[in-house]
Amino acid sequence: MERRPLRTSRLRVTLGRLLSPPLQGSGRLLALFVLCFLAAPTALLAAGAASAAHTRTVVVGGDRDYPPYEFIDRSGQPAGYNVDLTRAIAEVMGMKVEFRLGGWAEMRDALQTGRVDVLEGMSYSEERSREVDFSVPHAVVNHAIFGRRDNASVNTLEELKGKTVAVHRGGIMHDYLTRKGVGARLTLTETPADAMRLVASGKIDYAVVAIVPGMYMIRELKLTNLVPVVRNVATQRYCYAVDKGNAELLSRFNEGLAILKKTGQYDAIHNKWLGVVDTAPIDLWTIMKYAAVVVVPLVLLLGGFALWSRTLHRQVALRTADLTREVAERRQVEEELRLNQQQLVQADKMAALGVLVSGVAHEINNPTGIILLEAPILKRFHTDATKILERYYEENGDFTCGGLPYSRMRQEVPKSLAKIQDAGKRIKRIVDDLKDFARQDTTGGNDVIDLNQAAQAAVRLVEPTIRKATRNFSVGYRKGLPRVRGNRQRIEQVLVNLILNACQALPDSERGIELVTWHDAFRNAVVLKLRDEGTGIAPEHLSRLTDPFFTTKQDKGGTGLGLSVSAGIVKEHGGTLEFQSDGSGTTVTLTLPAYLKEENA
């Protein structure tokens, strides 16, 4: 656990008392010297505590029996691809690490309870991402179905229905098969090796194990009656995992992994452990059988060689396919890393833009203030001067004023002054909205918000974009709408993003956008619905709209972060964000729970 710097508030209080007016002259100087002498060790201890927190040993957890990724070797030491990769990251990042390998289910619990700081090998899934934070993937794991050579042939996970299947307890395929509900009768084992042994002994029909560990166990445990029946039934990203919210530790592993990739150390470690997976060795009985062919006629000998050659070609083809797939997977991981770096650069640009907008808004406030201050004075002056000008007009007839006849100017000047004042007020309102939108969040999400006001502020912020996108924009704000509890700035961020997306979806300015709000009394919720008459969303994309970095507008500069961030904000507020598209437009429904005053009583 990190230790916080020692507090010095008690010393400040004592110093204030000793330096108060009753103590004067040399007494005050003596008190100041004593307190400085006492405060110095405290400051040194605080600095030492902060340094110790940064250099403390990071406890790394892993599976004790998952070769070649991580395992306890014959000398009782941690070994494998994950272990070597972690040691290399620790070396380049200047970290101290301690390995603790045990049962996988035990290690997952250890991460949640804080007994380990990071798991060095965990497959990514959406369900798991709610419990832990994942690094960028450092490998891709393909899972296979293993069976005995005399087993009935299967081709998919669905064909395991009714069969007995062994799977590693707490592993990703345990989660996957349970979620999919394929109908197999699952037997949970403590290690993947136990699952393979149960199949080899005939007690279980099949085992679902990662292809690389499975082939490794067949070779090391001499389970020669087992073969991979299906070589790839699921592909998973393999990452480091930390407890939810431990962003500092996760960033150190991400940075270390990026350094290893640039220096070539990652490729060396990957090739050492995962570069080549040997297929099952040739049976000794087969070799003896072929040796006996020397006593048979020459034609049988040639036939035997032809059969052997064909088998060899098939094995080479399978291995070539495996290597091709591994190369493609590695390129996919590298491409994901490149895209992640681009997204980080874009995020930095947006943060800088927010600071710039806030500064520009502040500068615009100064001339706007002068306009709002002087316009009422000019209006009062014109009202007073009109009496004199009217009398002159009655006595002398029409005359030129400001290049135009007075009879016309007497009507135009009041309108112009009113327009100037209204324009100044509008500028001030837009500037205030921009400053509120760019201001850093410090409220903690405990405001009581009027959703109608938040929607109106969002519309004002993007009004130029709306005018450019459509001539048919309509709003309907339900009066007496209940309030909601949350952070107004973040809710406005969601609404701005939704409106901008609707504008970008319109192919021409004749298509419209409609925004309405109402109260759902049955669910006691406040609802905002935004409907556009745009091009719509393809059915296969609807379920992925809120995935991080997923975008259908990459050629137009889309980052894939807007809807993902918006969905996260809505979820934090206890609400929902739903999308519907029928090919002639898209409807987005934002639902937030209504705030009840009695809840706060």
Side-chain angles (χ1 to χ4, degrees), residues 304-322:
F305 274 115
L307 179 62
W308 178 80
S309 177
R310 184 177 179 182
T311 303
L312 183 60
H313 277 297
R314 186 163 52 249
Q315 291 178 344
V316 171
L318 289 174
R319 182 61 197 138
T320 302
D322 287 344

Side-chain angles (χ1 to χ4, degrees), residues 8 74 103 145 147 269 282 286 314 330 378 434 439-440 517 532:
T8 57
R74 294 173 182 173
I145 300 176
I269 296 171
I282 299 177
T286 304
R314 186 163 52 249
R330 184 181 300 175
L378 291 175
L434 281 173
R439 185 178 293 115
Q440 186 175 0
T517 61
D532 68 70

Side-chain angles (χ1 to χ4, degrees), residues 95 235 257 373 392 557:
M95 297 188 296
T235 300
L257 188 59
L373 181 65
Y392 184 85

